[in-house]
Amino acid sequence: MKKKFLIGLSAFAFVLLYTTSINAQDKVEKAAENTGKAIEKGAKAVGKKTAEVASKGVSKIADQTYRGKMAPDGSNVYIDGNNKKYYINKKGEKVYLKPSQIRDRPKNQH
């Protein structure tokens, strides 16, 4: 009787430890997946900001800034060699503007 009880208790303990280790492994895998997603999201944000800053730097050097005017998002308006007006969006892309989209910059802003 004692032997059967010890064998049953051992089997129960083994099953309990086995399921606990599987749950712990699942938690580690989920944490690693969430960390990977967070890193990917951060890397994309850094990449977009880098592209935006680089594009604005190139535009300031290569093209003219339209003084006293601003884009719909409040950023600077640039004039390229073909007299087209554009601004740089948050992804670092040129967005060409229609004349109706260009607004006067308030006097207290630069």
Side-chain angles (χ1 to χ4, degrees):
M1 180 79 178
K2 245 183 178 179
K3 208 174 202 182
K4 286 183 182 178
F5 178 72
L6 288 175
I7 290 172
L9 187 61
S10 298
F12 178 72
F14 177 74
V15 169
L16 186 64
L17 288 174
Y18 181 74
T19 57
T20 304
S21 69
I22 289 175
N23 287 339
Q25 187 176 9
D26 287 343
K27 288 180 182 178
V28 169
E29 287 174 359
K30 283 187 178 183
E33 185 178 324
N34 289 341
T35 302
K37 288 180 182 177
I39 290 171
E40 182 180 349
K41 185 177 177 182
K44 284 183 180 179
V46 168
K48 288 179 181 179
K49 189 64 176 179
T50 302
E52 178 187 6
V53 170
S55 295
K56 285 183 178 182
V58 169
S59 294
K60 280 191 182 278
I61 293 170
D63 297 328
Q64 287 183 322
T65 304
Y66 199 170
R67 297 213 181 256
K69 302 293 182 179
M70 65 181 195
D73 70 347
S75 62
N76 290 335
V77 176
Y78 301 100
I79 305 171
D80 67 7
N82 296 325
N83 204 26
K84 292 183 182 177
K85 282 78 173 175
Y86 68 93
Y87 72 100
I88 306 296
N89 68 6
K90 297 288 183 192
K91 293 181 182 179
E93 301 167 333
K94 287 183 180 181
V95 179
Y96 288 94
L97 298 167
K98 298 176 188 172
S100 62
Q101 294 175 304
I102 300 171
R103 301 184 309 192
D104 290 332
R105 187 173 295 279
K107 299 293 181 190
N108 57 359
Q109 288 186 348
H110 300 302

